[in-house]
Amino acid sequence: MPRNIYVKHRPAVIGAGITLFRRRMLETPKELAWIAAKQALDEAGLTLKDIDCVVIGSAPDTFDGVHMKGEYLADGAGGVGKPTMRVFVGGATGVMVPIAAWWHVASGHCRTVLAVAEEKMSSADIPHPQAVFRYIWDPVTEVPLQPNLIWIFAMEMHRYMYKCHASKEDIALVSVKNKRNALDHPAAQVAANITVEDVLKSEVLVWPVQLLDISPVSDGAAAFVVASEDVARRQTDTPVWIDGVGWALDTTSWTNRDLAFPEYANVAAQMAYRMAGITNPRREIDVAEVYDPFDYKELHHMEGLGLAKKCEAPILTREGVTQRDGDLPINPSGGLLGVGNPIAAAGVMKVAEIYWQLVGKAGKRQVKKPVYTGLAHAWGDLMQASTVVVMRV
Amino acid sequence: MMTRVAIIGVGWYGFRPMVEELSFREMMFEAAVRAYEDAGGINPRTDVDAFASCQEDFWEGIAIADEFAPEPIGGTLKPVYTTPGDGLQCVASAYMLIKTGQFDVIVAESHAKPSDIVNLHDVMLFAMDPITMRPLAIPNYHALAALEAQSYMARFNVPREALAYVVAKDKRNALRNERASYGANITVDDVLNAPYVASPLTKLDIAPYSDAAAVVVLASEDVARRYTDTPIWLDGIHWVTEDPALEFHEWSFPVHAMRAAEAAYKMAGIQDPAKEISFAEVDNRYSFKELQFIEALKLAPMGEAHKYMVEGMFDIDGLIPVNPSGGALGEGVPFEVHGLARLIDAVLQLRGEAGRMQVSKAEKAVVHSWRGVPTTTSVVAVLSR
């Protein structure tokens, strides 16, 4: 993997957009996609006519109950008459979208890419799309056991707590921080001023996972525009370069993995760091949006991404390092725990947040220290996939 | 950056109405092993930079089916991603990855087991807009194709016999193809006399389904030459999606295929496809689609493919053989594998390894895929020896 200085068409993010994240929104998936896409185009100062290619991100088709959802979303995402491609790695799709947008531009195949992710989880089942997750398992060996997705996360959380001597209080701090950060996010669904006490008193779903440890069911869309260097320089004085991309899938057999450390996140991050020329991520990354559908996952992923040493993330969180005014702000947007989790759109929300942080447009969410290099990360499939982008101004 | 992209290995398994002996993961493994062997014995654990898998959740009966992609193709803990689209879209993304200059060897994979699906018609309803189309509960989704066929035939005065000629030609070609399960020695009259599924399409006009897995290995120019003496060059590839709303899309002509072809030809530096292309592998899920796509790919003027067709121009020994493999009518439709199947047939022709279906002149090929109703995406690739 050579350094990205060899990339001739250096791709940059030049605009982003986001809908409200809510449960049971009235808009159709196509409409949600267009609301976000239009905002991104406006911020980039472009119209659909200027867009060469479209990349669509969406997690399982079963949520929307639409087969071939990439085809279905094509008009809402602005892809009519254009090369339109959907990418998919389960929950990690949201950050696979900028990776795909990156290769569309870096290859020289397209100069401008409109990247759109949309998810409507509320259409899947009432009261909770958990039923969809009955179909994510190995159809022969696992489905007959009727597993529930939260069970395996409970196992992983338990394992992490045991291995790292992390307490429930340590982990709850993440939920408290992110939900409070989200108070400043105009699209947020479950922003709140809560305490560790509130988390520990919330309903137990599968011990040790409680209601406030977990992100909500959401509908929403997010989008951004990626352009090649010449277009980016023409449109803006502050392009945000995508300098490194990385992604990896671990084995499908989740039972064979070390649940305490996300190896797949590490492999993906190393790939992105190598491409971006980053040798010490803890020093060189100024702000990060790591995937936090559960509060322990933020800690897990910080360690996988090399932003903390193994088992160090709970300590950094306790010391306030990951706060918005800390030395390494993590999820200043409020993350999935605060803003909401329309799966693929949540990943794109993170990319958008890093873009807004780096160009200084994050408003009340703007982190205190000056930031030049940011990282967005998403995670998915059977706890096996990670996608990472490193962005710079 | 200016590196060319080559196809250095192909592998496949199945192409039968029902593969009973292997699971989809085992089929993927078999196809991958063959492709890696064909690519000069590469080791996926060390020699491949990224893996692309093309599949759709509903076909698999698994939500988040891409979870199962890494292991059977040797991609565990490596960059693997899924493109829910035809296999040729995976080839397009592999092409772009190599063109970035950051990747040297990419694997594109696709698999399908239609024989596992007990309620295919219901699955198809889920592919239609939940508000405008699904409530109509179209009793047979082939009716959408039949409407397109009616529209095309009315606009260009295409006789029913030309469609039947396509079926007879392709089924006959398929008899020479070792992968084809649906080869048959039938006549135009046999097709015309078969009962209608949805007028003007008879059962013989509609490609049946088959189970299959296919794996293709792509490499940058330098690396390709290290592994093989017969790289097949991917000179151009492009894909276009038309309006997905059935209410608004162009029923009489596949504009998506034409736009994709124009861009792919431009990339490949082809001015006059009808002169420069030696043969074509195009989508023919429905007989009339082959005629439409021949025109969209500019191998015949718009609305006139049927005339050249019945004159034998697109026969296996004609001026521009189209679907010498028999295409989907001969091999069956293994969902997203379909485009890779067309590609594999073209690669073998260009290498001169197509056996009894070998065409006499195989210098430059155009390969096309479409994803069936109700989709409006086409991918077009131009290959050369």
Side-chain angles (χ1 to χ4, degrees):
Chain A
M1 180 67 55
R3 287 277 302 274
N4 70 342
I5 48 173
Y6 299 110
V7 171
K8 190 169 153 202
H9 308 271
R10 199 178 174 205
V13 179
I14 59 168
I18 190 168
T19 68
L20 290 176
F21 283 6
R22 288 292 182 275
R23 183 186 169 85
R24 309 195 78 73
M25 280 202 278
L26 289 172
E27 288 86 356
T28 66
K30 292 176 189 235
E31 289 166 336
L32 287 176
W34 178 243
I35 292 169
K38 179 74 169 65
Q39 277 179 31
L41 286 170
D42 287 348
E43 186 169 343
L46 298 175
T47 65
L48 215 43
K49 277 206 300 289
D50 307 312
I51 295 295
D52 293 338
C53 300
V54 171
V55 171
I56 293 176
S58 184
D61 292 6
T62 18
F63 280 141
D64 284 74
V66 175
H67 176 38
M68 301 192 182
K69 196 174 152 198
E71 299 277 347
Y72 164 80
L73 272 182
D75 48 0
V80 171
K82 296 184 196 296
T84 301
M85 187 180 280
R86 175 181 169 202
V87 287
F88 181 60
V89 273
T93 301
V95 178
M96 197 68 213
V97 170
I99 296 174
W102 170 85
W103 77 54
H104 275 70
V105 173
S107 63
H109 201 81
C110 316
R111 283 162 307 149
T112 48
V113 174
L114 177 59
V116 186
E118 184 280 336
E119 213 77 63
K120 256 197 115 167
M121 296 170 77
S122 64
S123 10
D125 199 15
I126 295 168
H128 193 279
Q130 191 66 246
V132 165
F133 293 118
R134 283 188 203 135
Y135 296 91
I136 71 169
W137 313 88
D138 185 301
V140 179
T141 59
E142 291 171 351
V143 168
L145 302 174
Q146 302 195 333
N148 172 314
L149 197 63
I150 302 179
W151 297 358
I152 60 171
F153 297 135
M155 264 186 246
E156 204 178 64
M157 181 164 167
H158 232 150
R159 182 71 192 152
Y160 179 73
M161 288 168 69
Y162 173 81
K163 213 47 192 287
C164 292
H165 307 291
S167 66
K168 279 278 308 181
E169 284 82 357
D170 287 336
I171 291 172
L173 278 172
V174 174
S175 190
V176 172
K177 167 179 69 84
N178 291 2
K179 283 182 188 291
R180 189 181 307 130
N181 282 351
L183 287 169
D184 297 325
H185 202 300
Q189 178 181 2
V190 284
N193 221 335
I194 57 165
T195 63
V196 169
E197 226 11 46
D198 294 331
V199 180
L200 297 183
K201 277 195 308 205
S202 64
E203 184 186 347
V204 175
L205 301 176
V206 181
W207 185 257
V209 178
Q210 292 175 269
L211 189 63
L212 290 178
D213 287 316
I214 197 168
S215 57
V217 175
S218 311
D219 301 350
F224 56 91
V225 176
V226 175
S228 63
E229 182 158 7
D230 49 338
V231 178
R233 296 235 185 251
R234 198 164 61 222
Q235 295 303 118
T236 175
D237 295 332
T238 50
V240 173
W241 309 104
I242 301 178
D243 270 355
V245 301
W247 73 102
L249 259 66
D250 202 344
T251 161
T252 317
S253 308
W254 58 276
T255 46
N256 295 357
R257 289 202 290 272
D258 171 10
L259 296 182
F261 182 75
E263 185 69 30
Y264 44 86
N266 195 254
V267 173
Q270 292 306 330
M271 176 175 166
Y273 293 154
R274 216 159 38 240
M275 203 183 289
I278 286 178
T279 48
N280 185 342
R282 174 72 180 82
R283 286 250 172 76
E284 293 173 61
I285 301 287
D286 300 320
V287 56
E289 283 279 337
V290 307
Y291 212 59
D292 60 331
F294 297 84
D295 44 12
Y296 81 94
K297 269 323 250 190
E298 178 173 311
L299 307 173
H300 216 231
H301 287 146
M302 280 173 66
E303 293 166 17
L305 297 169
L307 300 175
K309 295 195 194 78
K310 276 187 186 176
C311 297
E312 194 194 16
I315 302 166
L316 296 181
T317 305
R318 216 181 306 146
E319 291 172 350
V321 174
T322 59
Q323 296 284 347
R324 217 181 256 159
D325 56 0
D327 180 45
L328 177 61
I330 304 282
N331 292 332
S333 67
L336 278 53
L337 288 164
V339 187
N341 184 14
I343 315 246
V348 168
M349 177 270 284
K350 288 180 169 295
V351 178
E353 180 70 12
I354 293 299
Y355 162 74
W356 284 320
Q357 289 284 351
L358 294 181
V359 295
K361 283 193 197 166
K364 285 202 281 180
R365 302 190 308 283
Q366 190 67 44
V367 301
K368 289 286 168 289
K369 63 171 191 174
V371 285
Y372 307 100
T373 306
L375 174 148
H377 160 254
W379 159 80
D381 285 358
L382 271 173
M383 310 194 290
Q384 82 199 92
S386 264
T387 45
V388 176
V389 291
V390 174
M391 293 155 74
R392 282 201 186 97
V393 271
Chain B
M1 260 323 280
M2 296 314 290
T3 184
R4 291 166 86 192
V5 176
I7 293 161
I8 60 168
V10 293
W12 55 276
Y13 189 87
F15 290 98
R16 272 177 273 139
M18 184 181 275
V19 171
E20 279 178 321
E21 72 282 10
L22 297 186
S23 73
F24 76 91
R25 293 153 93 173
E26 292 164 323
M27 281 167 51
M28 289 164 74
F29 176 78
E30 291 290 340
V33 168
R34 291 180 183 190
Y36 300 155
E37 194 56 40
D38 188 46
I42 59 167
N43 176 352
R45 307 292 308 139
T46 53
D47 301 335
V48 177
D49 295 326
F51 301 79
S53 171
C54 270
Q55 53 182 336
E56 284 276 1
D57 277 8
F58 275 54
W59 296 139
E60 307 289 328
I62 297 171
I64 322 186
D66 78 291
E67 298 162 349
F68 297 87
E71 276 164 305
I73 53 177
T76 305
L77 273 180
K78 302 204 68 170
V80 181
Y81 63 96
T82 292
T83 296
D86 182 82
L88 268 188
Q89 269 194 317
C90 272
V91 171
S93 66
Y95 174 90
M96 288 188 283
L97 280 170
I98 292 171
K99 282 285 189 182
T100 65
Q102 304 276 309
F103 300 82
D104 282 322
V105 181
I106 311 283
V107 164
E109 178 275 340
S110 193
H111 61 272
K113 282 196 112 174
S115 68
D116 274 357
I117 302 178
V118 290
N119 51 353
L120 188 61
H121 184 73
D122 296 331
V123 172
M124 289 310 295
L125 283 182
F126 273 91
M128 295 174 205
D129 189 290
I131 294 168
T132 58
M133 288 301 294
R134 207 181 297 165
L136 301 177
I138 297 166
N140 184 343
Y141 62 90
H142 293 307
L144 294 174
L147 285 170
E148 288 190 354
Q150 295 281 14
S151 176
Y152 170 67
M153 290 164 75
R155 178 170 164 193
F156 297 112
N157 280 323
V158 179
R160 177 75 187 86
E161 288 71 22
L163 275 62
Y165 189 95
V166 172
V167 179
K169 165 182 82 75
D170 288 343
K171 298 252 183 214
R172 207 164 50 235
N173 286 353
L175 288 170
R176 307 173 180 217
N177 178 355
E178 60 170 329
R179 268 178 301 289
S181 294
Y182 300 101
N185 217 339
I186 55 169
T187 62
V188 168
D189 281 339
D190 292 335
V191 183
L192 293 176
N193 294 330
Y196 284 121
V197 172
S199 172
L201 304 175
T202 69
K203 198 175 174 209
L204 290 169
D205 286 288
I206 300 171
Y209 287 105
S210 67
D211 292 357
V215 172
V216 174
V217 184
L218 293 100
S220 61
E221 181 160 8
D222 304 349
V223 175
R225 298 214 187 267
R226 214 183 301 153
Y227 288 112
T228 177
D229 297 331
T230 52
I232 300 302
W233 303 107
L234 186 53
D235 295 332
I237 188 162
H238 201 69
W239 61 105
V240 165
T241 300
E242 212 183 308
D243 200 328
L246 283 171
E247 310 88 295
F248 302 122
H249 93 276
E250 170 59 77
W251 286 80
S252 65
F253 194 76
V255 180
H256 46 95
M258 191 167 73
R259 297 275 174 263
E262 282 163 356
Y265 286 141
K266 196 173 165 204
M267 286 170 80
I270 287 182
Q271 315 272 344
D272 187 349
K275 285 220 177 70
E276 296 172 55
I277 294 291
S278 13
F279 69 97
E281 283 284 338
V282 308
D283 177 89
N284 60 350
R285 280 160 201 261
Y286 302 99
S287 53
F288 76 98
K289 280 285 167 195
E290 182 168 314
L291 295 169
Q292 282 189 334
F293 291 138
I294 285 171
E295 293 163 15
L297 299 178
K298 300 181 190 295
L299 302 177
M302 195 190 267
E304 291 182 26
H306 64 96
K307 294 177 197 156
Y308 299 105
M309 177 62 73
V310 294
E311 284 166 12
M313 179 161 141
F314 305 119
D315 287 0
I316 196 163
D317 51 3
L319 198 58
I320 309 174
V322 173
N323 289 328
S325 66
L329 286 166
E331 284 180 359
V333 179
F335 296 144
E336 267 59 51
V337 187
H338 178 49
L340 290 187
R342 304 278 60 75
L343 183 80
I344 289 174
D345 283 319
V347 166
L348 295 179
Q349 292 279 6
L350 291 167
R351 283 188 193 162
E353 293 173 1
R356 291 201 303 135
M357 64 174 180
Q358 184 69 48
V359 298
S360 55
K361 179 167 164 272
E363 302 283 337
K364 257 190 200 337
V366 61
V367 175
H368 162 265
S369 80
W370 169 61
R371 305 182 64 200
V373 289
T375 71
T376 56
T377 301
S378 272
V379 192
V380 176
V382 180
L383 307 179
S384 69
R385 198 160 62 176

